[in-house]
Amino acid sequence: EKGGYEHFMLKEMYEQPKAITDTVAPRIKEEQIVIEELGMSDEEIKSIQKIMIVACGSAYHAGVTSKYIFEGLARIPVEVDVASEFRYRDPILGDGTLVLIISQSGETADSLAALREAKRKGSKVLGIVNVVGSSIAREADNVMYTWAGPEIAVATTKAYSSQLAALYLLAMKFAGVRGKITPELQREMLSDLRKLPKQVEVLLKQQEKVQKFANRYLAAKDIFFIGRGIDYAISMEGSLKLKEISYIHSEAYAAGELKHGTISLIEEGTLVAAVLTQEDLYKKMISNMVEVRTRGAFVLAITNEGNTEVERAADYVLYIPKTNKYFTNSLAIIPLQLFGYYVSVGRGCDVDKPRNLAKSVTVE
Ligand code: M6R
């Protein structure tokens, strides 16, 4: 069933272009974003005052990415919380709060409890779910399915990528209805969205290159991921991918926070993966890279094609193709997934079934 791939995780990484296409294509009709299952009129979309996103693990990371887009593009305030915190903190869900529950399995106990809590408080709940007919899909007021297909590996890849794609569509839809994007910008973004699957395919071809690089870090003690803005969100996902399957300690930091503590952990040769895809933040990121490098770090940069300036502050650079600034996470995650995967393979770990973890966390 692995279709010739050594692991489900690798197979599922290669299924990402299709997962993105299957999630996006059915929702674009004559250059308009149509999300029928949303069950919201334009008036209702206009009256949203706040979006509360609740999820766990990678689904939470997809939520964090989308916060930047809902806020930046649609100008709707967003709060993101992990379900295990949300459910016990008596959250304030006023009138006009739309709650999004994101889950691959649709069975995560904390996410399901969060959904019930949100409904109890009278909020409308939209589920972004992969498994059709799962508990979260059944109990949410409305469901927007991600069409990634069955995912077997514990470390999520294609489901995460399809969550991002669904969230892009939702944010663009809201922005359009609320008059925050021009039809030209929407057309341009849709065209970039349609290019993502091909671009992901191209990035997957860097497989061998990333494997060679990963092999240098099989004995690493700590690995850090840094980014700013939306790149901080992808740093969190990159760090989780690595640690859950390789058992190497790793953390993600908002690059500007380094000076407030983390930088003292940098030793000679510590790997710091810096993600910089946001042009307005290049300079700030480069200065953070210089800071860690001066303290002995080996800096791997993941940045946009053309940003060769980064080479003066990095020891190794992986480029991603150009896309809309809100879609870069879909591309930057590919080398990070490959990196985690190959470190895990190189260390002889059980890639698809890492120790102590379950695919779907149905207990608290
Ligand atoms: O099924 P869900 O999307 O609700 O699962 C949430 C997390 O358990 C999940 O994303 C987990 O963090 C993955 N192992 C990450 O790869």
Side-chain angles (χ1 to χ4, degrees):
E1 334 131 56
K2 287 185 203 149
Y5 290 95
E6 203 183 332
H7 298 100
F8 281 110
M9 183 178 171
L10 189 62
K11 172 173 179 267
E12 289 161 4
M13 281 194 274
Y14 273 87
E15 287 169 349
Q16 290 181 109
K18 182 174 184 322
I20 297 171
T21 304
D22 291 352
T23 301
V24 170
R27 293 170 171 128
I28 303 178
K29 296 190 177 117
E30 292 165 12
E31 290 308 291
Q32 295 303 318
I33 300 167
V34 182
I35 313 175
E36 272 152 19
E37 62 275 40
L38 200 57
M40 289 176 93
S41 65
D42 284 1
E43 279 324 300
E44 282 172 290
I45 293 174
K46 281 183 194 148
S47 68
I48 299 170
Q49 315 236 315
K50 184 178 130 182
I51 300 175
M52 177 79 232
I53 302 177
V54 189
C56 301
S58 294
Y60 166 77
H61 296 154
V64 176
T65 296
S66 77
K67 173 184 164 78
Y68 292 93
I69 315 176
F70 282 117
E71 292 192 338
L73 200 62
R75 307 305 294 158
I76 306 173
V78 176
E79 206 184 325
V80 197
D81 206 353
V82 287
S84 54
E85 286 298 313
F86 174 88
R87 64 181 289 196
Y88 293 119
R89 73 172 161 90
D90 194 11
I92 300 166
L93 300 174
D95 241 12
T97 304
L98 172 69
V99 176
L100 293 189
I101 307 278
I102 310 173
S103 175
Q104 186 286 128
S105 62
E107 301 296 347
T108 301
D110 282 322
S111 304
L112 182 57
L115 176 155
R116 290 178 179 153
E117 172 73 0
K119 277 181 83 176
R120 204 179 56 78
K121 292 200 141 131
S123 284
K124 183 180 164 73
V125 176
L126 173 66
I128 298 193
V129 179
N130 194 47
V131 177
V132 177
S134 56
S135 303
I136 293 174
R138 280 185 278 113
E139 292 193 29
D141 294 306
N142 294 86
V143 196
M144 183 175 176
Y145 280 113
T146 51
W147 297 113
E151 194 178 60
I152 311 292
V154 163
T156 180
T157 53
K158 63 173 180 169
Y160 167 81
S161 284
S162 65
Q163 285 163 354
L164 287 183
L167 289 160
Y168 298 160
L169 285 172
L170 199 59
M172 287 170 67
K173 174 79 195 171
F174 286 179
V177 171
R178 293 164 73 103
K180 302 292 183 199
I181 44 174
T182 59
E184 296 77 62
L185 178 58
Q186 167 148 329
R187 258 196 303 280
E188 200 185 292
M189 290 183 78
L190 283 179
S191 140
D192 282 339
L193 196 51
R194 285 203 187 91
K195 284 183 201 143
L196 282 180
K198 258 259 134 0
Q199 293 174 321
V200 167
E201 224 171 274
V202 170
L203 285 167
L204 285 164
K205 294 205 175 103
Q206 298 194 347
Q207 192 186 337
E208 269 176 46
K209 190 174 171 188
V210 178
Q211 180 170 22
K212 274 201 195 113
F213 182 80
N215 281 337
R216 288 156 49 176
Y217 288 95
L218 303 182
K221 184 166 69 119
D222 314 287
I223 294 179
F224 297 98
F225 293 78
I226 60 170
R228 286 174 181 257
I230 210 165
D231 293 330
Y232 173 44
I234 209 62
S235 303
M236 292 196 263
E237 177 59 9
S239 170
L240 176 59
K241 279 297 82 92
L242 173 75
K243 78 181 96 177
E244 71 175 325
I245 56 175
S246 74
Y247 319 142
I248 291 179
H249 168 248
S250 113
E251 284 183 60
Y253 272 89
E257 273 289 294
L258 282 170
K259 282 197 196 66
H260 302 283
T262 322
I263 204 159
S264 66
L265 296 166
I266 304 294
E267 290 170 3
E268 196 56 43
T270 305
L271 176 62
V272 176
V275 186
L276 57 164
T277 68
Q278 304 297 300
E279 256 181 74
D280 53 337
L281 296 167
Y282 280 172
K283 281 213 166 63
K284 298 281 164 198
M285 276 301 296
I286 288 179
S287 76
N288 295 131
M289 288 155 67
V290 169
E291 276 162 12
V292 289
R293 211 176 178 210
T294 318
R295 281 143 184 108
F298 186 95
V299 177
L300 159 70
I302 296 175
T303 192
N304 302 323
E305 252 161 38
N307 182 23
T308 47
E309 213 214 316
V310 80
E311 288 171 16
R312 70 177 169 85
D315 299 285
Y316 198 91
V317 184
L318 291 169
Y319 289 101
I320 60 162
K322 286 238 163 64
T323 185
N324 182 274
K325 67 171 181 177
Y326 291 121
F327 301 157
T328 56
N329 276 192
S330 293
L331 302 179
I333 193 55
I334 306 301
L336 296 176
Q337 290 170 344
L338 286 170
F339 178 71
Y341 174 77
Y342 283 115
V343 173
S344 176
V345 169
R347 283 164 63 89
C349 300
D350 190 347
V351 178
D352 286 336
K353 281 196 173 54
R355 69 185 182 204
N356 312 338
L357 290 172
K359 179 64 182 162
S360 141
V361 185
T362 54
V363 289
E364 243 191 270

